[in-house]
Every structure is written in structure tokens, then in C-alpha cells.
Amino acid sequence: MTQLKNIETFSSLEKSDLIFLENLLEPKIFKKGDVLIKQGEIANNFIFLTSGIVSSVYKNKSKEFIRDFYFEPLIFTEMESFVKQVPAKFSVICVTDVTCQLLSHSDLEIAYSKIPTLRNVAYDLLVNGFINISNRLESLLTQNPEQRYLKLLNENPKLLHKIPLKMIASYMGVTDVALSRIRNRISQRKTRLIQ
């Protein structure tokens, strides 16, 4: 059995339901830079991330903007595209090598018919996603870049080692130069505290 049984949102499902659902999942391995969902195309899969890091990216002409990062274990997709079967507003791209399991739109419909309580699980996932986006928006509106960077470090220390600083700067809504200055100020403060 995969990690579904260890994800709190799925804990309400019976063991037989988890086994049925897991049999619908398609294991996949992707390399750094691979595109899991392409902006402008329909997102046909829920992605159950088991290892690695991915980012959601808006592309506007030649500019890219990091919307979010996803770490294992996490379940996600471009929700509007998946639910409404319309073109995705952003891409999902592998930041590192990734292993995951995919659940197609059609297989999810099969699972809904076999496991009626799965709709409650999907609702919980949707609410959690909304809360995460709401918290991100709040931090962008109420915190300065240094506060956002410190919060990011506290919540996701693995960012420093696995994600390029240019991507972190984009996620924070600052330039590479501004992020470098923030990091230098924090480093100088730490040095003064140690002395």
C-alpha cells in the first residue's frame, strides 16, 4: 500500500477503499525540469507527490513567476483546470527529480462512484488548498520581504539547499538582488549575535 494511508485526509477511508483507490494510481518518475502540467493545456491528473519538489509557475511572455512550491507528501493539481476541464492557468514543473502517482480525471470519477465518502476527502483537500493560498496572499500583503523570507526558512528549511535562489526570489516577489541583500542582512545579524 502506498502513502495514502499515512495522509490524514485519507484516514477516514476504509482499508478496502484505500486499496481500490491505490489500484487506480499510476506510478511515474520525472526528471528535474520536466513539466507535469503545462499552462494552456488541460490538467488531467491529480498528482500524489511521494518524493521531490515541484513548483507552479505562471508564464507571461518571457517572464516566469513562481506561484508556489510543493513538497512530499502532497496531493495537488491545477484545480480549476482539473475540475472544469479548461486550460491550465499555470504550469507545474519539477524543481528536482520527482516520483509521484497520478490519478486521472476519469479514474477519479470511477473512484467517486465506488467510494462515496471520497467526495468528503476531496472537499477537505480543496479547503486545505484554499487556506494555503489565503495564507500566502496574507503574507504578501502584510509582511515585508525579509519577514516573508524568514517565514519561508522556518517553514521550509530544505528550500535553501534544493531550490535555486532565483526561484525563491520569484516566489517571494522580489528581485535576485533584493533577495541577496536580505540574506546578507540576516547573515550579518547572526554573526553579531554569535560574537
Side-chain angles (χ1 to χ4, degrees):
M1 215 181 304
T2 63
Q3 295 182 344
L4 289 183
K5 67 178 182 177
N6 299 324
I7 299 174
E8 185 179 337
T9 314
F10 288 89
S11 63
S12 63
L13 297 180
E14 299 292 326
K15 184 176 180 179
S16 60
D17 293 337
L18 283 172
I19 291 170
F20 179 82
L21 184 58
E22 288 174 345
N23 285 329
L24 296 175
L25 298 175
E26 179 186 1
K28 287 282 194 177
I29 297 173
F30 295 96
K31 294 288 183 194
K32 177 181 177 179
D34 285 352
V35 177
L36 302 178
I37 298 171
K38 187 173 182 181
Q39 184 175 333
E41 295 182 2
I42 294 174
N44 284 315
N45 295 299
F46 255 114
I47 301 164
F48 294 69
L49 186 63
T50 53
S51 72
I53 302 170
V54 298
S55 65
S56 51
V57 180
Y58 291 109
K59 208 169 200 178
N60 185 0
K61 296 179 184 168
S62 63
K63 285 192 170 188
E64 288 188 355
F65 304 92
I66 305 295
R67 177 181 186 269
D68 212 344
F69 293 107
Y70 307 111
F71 303 93
E72 83 277 350
L74 190 66
I75 302 161
F76 63 92
T77 190
E78 205 280 38
M79 193 60 75
E80 182 179 5
S81 176
F82 184 83
V83 171
K84 294 181 177 180
Q85 291 293 280
V86 297
K89 292 183 178 174
F90 57 83
S91 295
V92 176
I93 301 170
C94 298
V95 176
T96 64
D97 290 349
V98 163
T99 58
C100 62
Q101 297 177 338
L102 305 179
L103 179 65
S104 71
H105 190 273
S106 58
D107 283 346
L108 180 61
E109 292 303 320
I110 292 168
Y112 280 152
S113 66
K114 170 83 170 120
I115 312 167
T117 56
L118 187 58
R119 290 196 187 273
N120 297 335
V121 171
Y123 176 78
D124 289 345
L125 290 171
L126 188 62
V127 168
N128 288 337
F130 172 77
I131 290 168
N132 289 340
I133 292 297
S134 180
N135 288 339
R136 172 138 163 73
L137 179 60
E138 179 183 352
S139 90
L140 284 170
L141 294 173
T142 63
Q143 295 179 330
N144 66 41
E146 186 170 322
Q147 290 169 323
R148 290 196 308 270
Y149 181 72
L150 289 169
K151 180 180 178 193
L152 195 60
L153 289 182
N154 288 333
E155 291 175 354
N156 300 298
K158 48 181 140 177
L159 277 176
L160 278 181
H161 305 292
K162 297 186 178 182
I163 299 176
L165 292 177
K166 183 173 183 151
M167 292 181 81
I168 294 172
S170 175
Y171 173 76
M172 290 178 48
V174 299
T175 65
D176 307 16
V177 173
L179 178 57
S180 181
R181 287 183 189 132
I182 290 167
R183 290 167 44 90
N184 285 337
R185 279 196 305 268
I186 292 169
S187 177
Q188 287 171 0
R189 268 189 243 133
K190 284 181 183 177
T191 303
R192 282 195 297 264
L193 288 173
I194 293 172
Q195 293 174 347

